[in-house]
Amino acid sequence: MGQERIIHAALLGAGTVGSGVYKLVKDLEEEIISKTGARLVVDKILVRDTTKAREGIPSELLIDRWDEILNDPQIEIVIEVMGGIRPALTWLEEALRAGKQVVTANKDLLAEYGEQLFDAAEAGKCDLHFEAAVAGAIPIIRPLRQSLAASELTEVMGIVNGTTNYILTRMTEDGMGYEEALALATKLGYAESDPTADVEGYDAGRKVAIMASIAFNSNVTFSQVYTEGITHITAEDIRYAKEFGYVIKLIGMTRLTEGGVEVKVHPMLLPEQHPLSTVRDSFNAVFIHGEACDDAMFMGRGAGQLPTASAVMGDVIDVMRNILHHSCGKIGYGCYRNLPVKSAEDTVSRFFLRIQVTDKPGALANIAGILGNNDVSIAQVVQKRSHDGVAELVIITDPVREKHFNDALSILKGMSVLKEVSGVIRVYGN
């Protein structure tokens, strides 16, 4: 037998995910040798504060200077799990251009600067892997880049934020209001102390930008994604949706159309029989449609220490094999198209509309007339209740261009018979 091959790595960040990655490196030491033919050694772990004790991580590995990693010729893989845009962007660009392979879990970075990072990877003939950036332990990036590369994908949609899915599950199954469900999610650790990125759809929007770029081979950034959160969803909306045979989920969706790429994140009424409707609590799932593959769904834990670390380490093992077989850099960004990204107003949706109107003859006819004049066709309408001279109408529209629906809604809001718009939510399907 020849001398054992050792591959040296550095870890950027030793927080929840970073400590999970280090734990897996140690726990799977022999397994990694069997799977790759080399031993993985983490030599250095970059942190802000080297004096802070970190459970399970030897203090002698901790450093606080990036140049100690960049200028170390032994280090072949940089694993970035610290998050944020700066200084991560600078460091990862420098690592790639210096010929170091990079594995990252940084969705913020990839959703805005993916193209820039892949340019650096190409320049350094390096691997850039990022399975953990979208949907944690669920393998979705590798299938999109490799397994489904010949399928001509047309739609990718999913539940890619566990916090909001947990909140909506509690609202649906336990009848909680939004604030009560958020408080429970925070207490259980599903929601951050500042949940804005989750509940306003920003976290999901970054993941959808990454998936759209890969699925349709055209660069999409987070700033191009229409985002709408769940803070306006009420127990009444959920109850009425159920009456119509729907479940409300926060959906990230991207579609390839003749006019370009659609990228949106918003609450949606899904038919109860849709596979995504059954995805509960903090689980994530991604549903894909392609011309050759038809429908496929990937489901699992979308966050958490070990699920995310598992995705990171899957990439690291892949990179180790590429190093040993001298095949790094073989899969680039693949964004060889330059497709336009459509504004939300130019996309087509069905809508659930819940309004309070003066309960008098002709009110519904007036509302239907305004909707019709703006090309909004009504598929279903139910008058729910009348109280103190005010009736509640619940309307589901046929597919309509969003600009036309918004124009109609603006006119409705100016009508004397309209007392309140209580809910507007998109509805899946044609």
Side-chain angles (χ1 to χ4, degrees), residues 22 33 36 53 61 78 139 185 199 206 210 228 231 244 326 329 349 411:
Y22 188 78
I33 294 170
T36 65
L61 296 183
V78 172
V199 300
R206 292 183 175 97
I210 295 167
E228 181 186 311
T231 55
F244 283 101
H326 308 288
S349 299
I411 297 168

Side-chain angles (χ1 to χ4, degrees), residues 28-41:
L28 302 177
E29 192 169 5
E30 296 305 317
E31 192 85 0
I32 291 169
I33 294 170
S34 300
K35 287 180 175 175
T36 65
R39 182 179 297 277
L40 179 67
V41 176

Side-chain angles (χ1 to χ4, degrees), residues 247-308:
V247 175
I248 297 177
K249 297 288 187 183
L250 182 73
I251 297 294
M253 174 178 283
T254 179
R255 285 194 185 112
L256 184 63
T257 70
E258 284 187 8
V261 177
E262 297 180 8
V263 271
K264 300 191 291 185
V265 171
H266 49 64
M268 181 176 274
L269 275 71
L270 289 176
E272 286 175 342
Q273 63 271 27
H274 193 284
L276 288 173
S277 295
T278 62
V279 180
R280 302 173 57 257
D281 289 334
S282 63
F283 277 88
N284 281 200
V286 179
F287 187 83
I288 291 167
H289 182 80
E291 296 299 329
C293 67
D294 199 27
D295 292 335
M297 191 165 98
F298 302 78
M299 177 182 164
R301 290 288 179 193
Q305 182 188 46
L306 290 179
T308 307

Side-chain angles (χ1 to χ4, degrees), residues 1 115 195 207 213 278 378 424:
M1 284 182 65
E115 192 170 27
K207 295 167 182 173
S213 298
T278 62
I378 295 174
V424 177

Side-chain angles (χ1 to χ4, degrees), residues 391-402:
E392 184 170 51
L393 296 179
V394 179
I395 296 167
I396 291 183
T397 75
D398 285 323
V400 57
R401 189 176 163 206
E402 293 207 4

Side-chain angles (χ1 to χ4, degrees), residues 107 131-141 159-161 207 211 284-286 298-303 307-308 311:
K107 60 182 174 289
E131 186 65 67
V134 178
I138 303 172
I140 189 62
I141 300 302
I159 296 164
V160 289
N161 182 272
K207 295 167 182 173
M211 290 192 292
N284 281 200
V286 179
F298 302 78
M299 177 182 164
R301 290 288 179 193
T308 307

